[in-house]
Amino acid sequence: MAFDLVFFGGTGDLVWRKLMPALFQAYRHGTLPEGGRIIGVGRDDLSDEQYRQQIQSRFEQVEGDKRPNPEEFARFASLLCYVRMDLSKPESYAVLSARLAERTTDHVVMYLSTAPSLFTTVCEQLAANGLNTPKTRIVLEKPLGHDLTSNRAINVAVGKVFKEQQIFRIDHYLGKPAVQNLFALRFGNALFEPLWRREHIANIQITMSEELGVEKRGGFYETTGALRDMVQNHALQLLCAIAMEPPINVHADAIRDEKLKVLRALKRWTPETLSQHVIRGQYSAGNVLGHAVPGYREESGVSPSSSTETFVALRTEIANWRWAGVPFYIRTGKRMASREAHIQINFRPTPHEIFNSPVGHANKLVIHLQPKDGLELHLFAQGQSKRGEGSAGATLSPVHLDLDFDKRFGSQRVGAYERLLLDVLDGRLNLFVRSDEQEEAWRWVEPILRHWQNDTIGPRPYAAGTWGPSASSAMIARDGFCWSEET
Ligand code: BG6
C-alpha cells in the first residue's frame, strides 16, 4: 500500500519528539506499509538531505533502544523528504501539489501538527489545489480550538473539505496500550461487567500527574491551562472508556456513539457544584525528584501575575441508570509528586463485617496507564493467624493480584503514536474522536471556564513536587473518600 504522509509542522517539536520516533518503530517492527514516503513541510529552507540530517540529530535525544543505529537510520531516511512552504501563502501549495504528483499512491495523509489557527487555511488551500481527493486522510492534532465556538468553527471548516470518515482527530491517550486494554478488559471478559455499576462501585478516580513543568511551552500554556490541555480531551476520553455501555460491535461509530452518550449524561454544572467540586491550582517553587524547581510564574513565557491553572481536580457524576450517584473524580497537574496515570475503581465494602478488617477496607481495581502498564486487583486475605484467633476473629491483610502487561507482552507493545499512525494509514477510526464527541466535551467544560473568568481569587498555589492544593483532598474527603496516595 503506497502512501504519502505529509507532516505540516514538519520541523516542529511533536514531529521530532513523537511522530518520527513512532514511525521509525513501526518501520523497525516491519508494520509500516511498504512504498511509503514521509514528507516534512516547514518554513525553513532545507534540502531533503538537510531535513534527514536534522531528523537524525534529533534522534540522538531519543531514549536508548528506540534510537536507530546509523545503518537503520540510513534505510529509514530514504523515506524522508522535505517541502518548504509558508502555509499562509496560497502559492506555496502548488509546490506540495507538484511533489505529490511525482508518484501514484493509494493514500495521502495530511497530518496537521501546526497551530490550530492555520487548520482552516490549510484545508481551504488543499481543496483549492485539488488535494482533497477521496484517497486523502486528514489528521488533526489537539488543541482543536479553545472553546466550543472555535472548535465548531474548525470542524465546520474541515468538514467543508473532508468527509467525517476522512478526518482523524488525535487524542494520543486513546492510543496508549492500557486504554485499548481497558476496552478488552470490559468487553472481552464477562467477569467485571456485572460489577461495573452503581450497586457495586463506590467511586472512580482518574489521575494523570506529571513531574515536568511547562518546559519551553510557557507561551502556549498561558492561554491553555490544565483544563483545556488535559481534562477536555484526555481525561474525558478515559472517563468515556470506563463508563460507556458495551458497543454493539467494534466499528468506530458504534464505539463513538456510546462515548457520546456518556458525555451527554455528564451532570451539568450549577453555581454550587462549580464552586465546591472544581479545584484549580498553580505550582509554586518546590522540589521535584530532589531538585529545586521554579514556580509556574517564574517560567519563561509566563506572566508573573498569571492565573493559568496547572492543576485541576474535579468531581462529577453521570446521570444514567448505570452510574447515578457514583462520584467520578478527575485530577491532573504539572510538577506533581510523581508521574503517573491511572484509573482507580473503588468497590463498595462488604455489606456485613465478620473479620477484623483494616479501616475503610474495600476492593479496588487499579488500571495503570503509565509509567507501568497493567492491572492490580486489590483483595483481602487472611495471612498468618495469631495464636488463639479463630478464623472469624482473624485480621485481614490487603493483598493484590498484579498483572504487568509490559512484562507479559514485552517488545510486542506498540506505543501510542505508533498505534495511531498505523491506524490512520489503515483507515481505522476506532481510536479517533468524532466531532460531536469533541463538541460535547467542550460544552461540558465551558461553564468551568466562564466560572473562572468571573472568579477573582485565582488558582490555589501548591508547592512543586506535591499532590496539588489541599483543597483537592478536602473536596474528596467531604464524600468520605480519599485519593489513592492518601489510603
Ligand atoms: C499533551 C499535553 O496532550 O499530553 C501535555 O499537551 C502533556 O501538556 C501530555 O504533557 C501528557 O502526555 P503523556 O502521554 O506524557 O501523559
Side-chain angles (χ1 to χ4, degrees):
M1 187 193 66
F3 68 88
D4 274 342
L5 169 54
V6 184
F7 284 134
F8 293 89
T11 52
D13 197 56
L14 186 75
V15 168
W16 68 261
R17 236 171 13 93
K18 300 277 187 191
L19 300 176
M20 284 295 177
L23 282 173
F24 172 70
Q25 285 308 316
Y27 181 75
R28 190 186 246 177
H29 293 151
T31 47
L32 192 67
E34 304 235 323
R37 186 168 62 160
I38 302 163
I39 305 174
V41 165
R43 289 162 78 107
D44 299 344
D45 188 9
L46 300 174
S47 65
D48 289 350
E49 197 40 48
Q50 283 167 325
Y51 185 59
R52 289 174 192 142
Q53 280 164 12
Q54 203 178 76
I55 297 292
Q56 184 169 25
S57 66
R58 296 284 162 77
F59 262 114
E60 275 151 31
Q61 294 167 39
V62 169
E63 41 188 283
D65 60 349
K66 296 204 170 131
R67 196 182 306 154
N69 63 39
E71 297 78 51
E72 274 179 320
F73 184 79
R75 282 197 301 270
F76 175 68
S78 66
L79 311 182
L80 302 178
C81 55
Y82 183 78
V83 173
R84 182 187 185 194
M85 280 178 77
D86 179 341
L87 297 180
S88 61
K89 299 225 167 87
E91 58 277 18
S92 269
Y93 291 79
V95 186
L96 177 64
S97 187
R99 198 78 201 245
L100 291 173
E102 283 168 1
R103 59 189 218 126
T104 310
T105 55
D106 299 298
H107 298 294
V108 179
V109 175
M110 307 287 186
Y111 196 121
L112 269 56
S113 166
T114 62
S117 53
L118 286 167
F119 286 0
T120 305
T121 313
V122 173
C123 286
E124 283 168 1
Q125 287 306 320
L126 290 176
N129 287 272
L131 295 175
N132 59 332
T133 67
K135 66 178 189 180
T136 312
R137 292 172 188 155
I138 185 139
V139 185
L140 305 175
E141 256 300 335
K142 72 179 261 283
L144 255 80
H146 57 274
D147 56 13
L148 179 60
T149 311
S150 51
N151 174 257
R152 266 208 194 127
I154 293 174
N155 281 335
V156 167
V158 179
K160 280 190 187 147
V161 176
F162 295 100
K163 296 202 170 70
E164 186 66 34
Q165 308 89 276
Q166 295 176 281
I167 307 174
F168 292 72
R169 294 179 193 81
I170 291 242
D171 185 311
H172 79 277
Y173 264 68
L174 290 181
K176 290 189 189 275
V179 177
Q180 288 155 66
N181 251 314
L182 175 56
F183 287 112
L185 173 82
R186 289 201 55 203
F187 309 130
N189 295 280
L191 189 62
F192 287 108
E193 193 49 29
L195 304 177
W196 214 258
R197 56 192 65 249
R198 62 190 301 279
E199 290 81 357
H200 302 287
I201 292 179
N203 69 84
I204 294 183
Q205 302 179 12
I206 300 173
T207 296
M208 295 177 298
S209 59
E210 297 181 79
E211 284 156 0
L212 291 178
V214 288
E215 306 298 288
K216 294 182 184 131
R217 298 160 80 220
F220 158 79
Y221 204 82
E222 270 290 83
T223 56
T224 309
L227 188 75
R228 290 186 175 97
D229 193 37
M230 297 293 286
V231 177
Q232 185 274 341
N233 32 66
H234 307 322
L236 288 185
Q237 284 295 326
L238 293 183
L239 182 138
C240 287
I242 302 162
M244 67 193 265
E245 293 300 316
I248 54 168
N249 56 40
V250 290
H251 292 148
D253 278 332
I255 295 172
R256 301 190 305 179
D257 288 346
E258 295 304 336
K259 286 197 286 163
L260 181 63
K261 284 188 207 159
V262 173
L263 293 167
R264 289 196 173 139
L266 282 173
K267 254 203 172 162
R268 300 292 120 173
W269 297 105
T270 64
E272 198 200 352
T273 55
L274 281 170
S275 62
Q276 306 251 316
H277 294 166
V278 188
I279 309 294
R280 60 171 164 162
Q282 188 187 70
Y283 64 83
S284 48
N287 248 283
V288 174
L289 301 174
H291 295 287
V293 295
Y296 176 69
R297 291 180 181 182
E298 283 102 58
E299 302 274 16
S300 94
V302 172
S303 153
S305 57
S306 170
S307 61
T308 300
E309 80 288 357
T310 59
F311 171 94
V312 178
L314 61 82
R315 175 202 195 278
T316 186
E317 287 180 27
I318 299 172
N320 65 15
W321 273 48
R322 187 188 282 266
W323 295 116
V326 177
F328 283 73
Y329 304 100
I330 292 173
R331 174 175 64 155
T332 184
K334 298 218 178 265
R335 285 283 189 233
M336 293 184 65
S338 94
R339 174 181 182 252
E340 13 189 302
H342 61 254
I343 301 164
Q344 189 164 308
I345 318 277
N346 291 311
F347 290 93
R348 293 190 187 280
T350 50
H352 172 62
E353 204 61 85
I354 60 169
F355 295 102
N356 292 325
S357 309
V359 179
H361 102 288
N363 301 120
K364 64 183 178 210
L365 176 69
V366 187
I367 300 157
H368 289 279
L369 278 73
Q370 62 195 28
K372 177 175 163 180
D373 170 10
L375 290 177
E376 271 171 28
L377 181 60
H378 292 244
L379 304 166
F380 292 88
Q382 194 177 322
Q384 214 97 81
S385 299
K386 292 201 193 91
R387 268 182 68 192
E389 244 182 13
S391 63
T395 303
L396 296 184
S397 314
V399 288
H400 66 269
L401 296 171
D402 192 349
L403 182 55
D404 184 330
F405 289 127
D406 278 328
K407 275 201 196 125
R408 174 64 186 79
F409 297 112
S411 58
Q412 297 158 29
R413 302 301 267 165
V414 169
Y417 271 104
E418 184 180 347
R419 162 84 287 128
L420 295 174
L421 282 164
L422 290 173
D423 281 1
V424 174
L425 293 172
D426 276 352
R428 251 197 316 272
L429 277 158
N430 300 25
L431 299 177
F432 297 85
V433 184
R434 208 169 53 191
S435 62
D436 48 5
E437 285 179 76
Q438 228 173 31
E439 289 180 12
E440 200 55 50
W442 276 116
R443 196 167 288 120
W444 185 76
V445 153
E446 275 206 335
I448 307 178
L449 294 169
R450 277 199 299 273
H451 173 70
W452 286 347
Q453 259 168 17
N454 302 323
D455 159 38
T456 47
I457 301 169
R460 295 159 198 265
Y462 62 96
T466 65
W467 283 103
S470 57
S472 146
S473 303
M475 175 189 73
I476 192 167
R478 280 200 296 274
D479 291 339
F481 304 126
C482 59
W483 294 111
S484 47
E485 75 283 356
E486 297 168 340
T487 350

